[in-house]
Amino acid sequence: WTRPVTPLIGGTLTNAVHQEQLVAKDREGIRMLDTAINGGEIVTGRGRVRANVGIADGKIATLSTTQLDARRVVDASGVLVLAGAIDAHTHFRDPAWQHKEDFESGTRAAASGGVTTVLEMPMANVGTSSADRLRDRRFLLEKKALIDFGFVAGAGQESIENIAGLAEAGAVGFKSFLREPYPGRAANFSGTWI
């Protein structure tokens, strides 16, 4: 890119630009948007449009051609505004190898590059190849996460019967290897090889 790029945190862009500002109701009556990103050029799948973004409760609530008011207003004049990227293949390896990277430092680095969601691969110590392991891993990592995350689970000969339970526990995808793990790495690849 030849122009500065600003990551947009939270939600997805809609194709339409609304003319009206969102007015959310709460027990106090009318309240403002949490964040307004004004003056930028929004990049969508259909091209670019000069508009303002309103965010409420961590989600894009409105796109508007008029200036928006909010608790926090970001001046995006002269920059492109992009929806947050999704990194669908990460290996943070927390907690076993924190000397390499832990979940907090990994999600911090992702956020600084405009990534708002990461999908963690199942190779960990111990791999996420059962619903209990996935829930334990989520419990451990959700305290450290600075952005949204999900898990790709292992689907191999040791875990094929676990697929339905893994999906119910929140796995967003499955990974299988066609060969056995390298010597000394079996625990990391538990449940992922066919």
Side-chain angles (χ1 to χ4, degrees):
W1 298 94
T2 58
R3 299 170 58 177
V5 176
T6 299
L8 176 63
I9 298 174
T12 58
L13 292 174
T14 61
N15 290 328
V17 175
H18 303 289
Q19 296 296 319
E20 298 297 319
Q21 176 177 340
L22 172 80
V23 178
K25 299 270 186 179
D26 63 15
R27 2 174 248 255
E28 305 290 324
I30 297 175
R31 67 176 170 93
M32 287 185 173
L33 295 164
D34 299 321
T35 304
I37 303 173
N38 290 322
E41 189 174 355
I42 299 171
V43 179
T44 73
R46 294 184 175 193
R48 298 178 185 180
V49 61
R50 194 157 301 283
N52 307 302
V53 181
I55 300 171
D57 299 321
K59 296 181 179 158
I60 295 174
T62 189
L63 302 175
S64 175
T65 55
T66 59
Q67 289 282 107
L68 297 173
D69 194 19
R71 290 182 185 89
R72 177 177 170 243
V73 177
V74 176
D75 180 6
S77 300
V79 299
L80 299 176
V81 178
L82 305 171
I86 298 171
D87 186 340
H89 192 119
T90 62
H91 294 273
F92 295 123
R93 305 197 196 264
D94 195 339
W97 298 287
Q98 291 183 11
H99 64 284
K100 293 182 177 184
E101 179 171 56
D102 68 8
F103 211 63
E104 183 178 346
S105 67
T107 57
R108 182 183 317 279
S112 72
V115 174
T116 59
T117 302
V118 294
L119 301 181
E120 177 77 341
M121 292 292 110
M123 288 73 65
N125 196 4
V126 172
T128 51
S129 56
S130 74
D132 286 341
R133 288 179 182 177
L134 189 137
R135 283 189 286 270
D136 290 348
R137 192 149 169 73
R138 180 185 306 117
F139 178 77
L140 174 72
L141 299 180
E142 66 189 356
K143 299 177 237 174
K144 298 179 177 185
L146 301 176
I147 60 176
D148 293 334
F149 68 98
F151 293 107
V152 175
Q157 59 182 303
E158 297 173 5
S159 62
I160 203 78
E161 70 281 352
N162 298 339
I163 289 177
L166 282 159
E168 288 175 18
V172 298
F174 295 91
K175 184 169 189 167
S176 300
F177 288 94
L178 300 178
R179 64 175 304 275
E180 292 185 20
Y182 294 106
R185 301 280 313 272
N188 311 124
F189 288 80
S190 173
T192 62
W193 52 278
I194 296 175

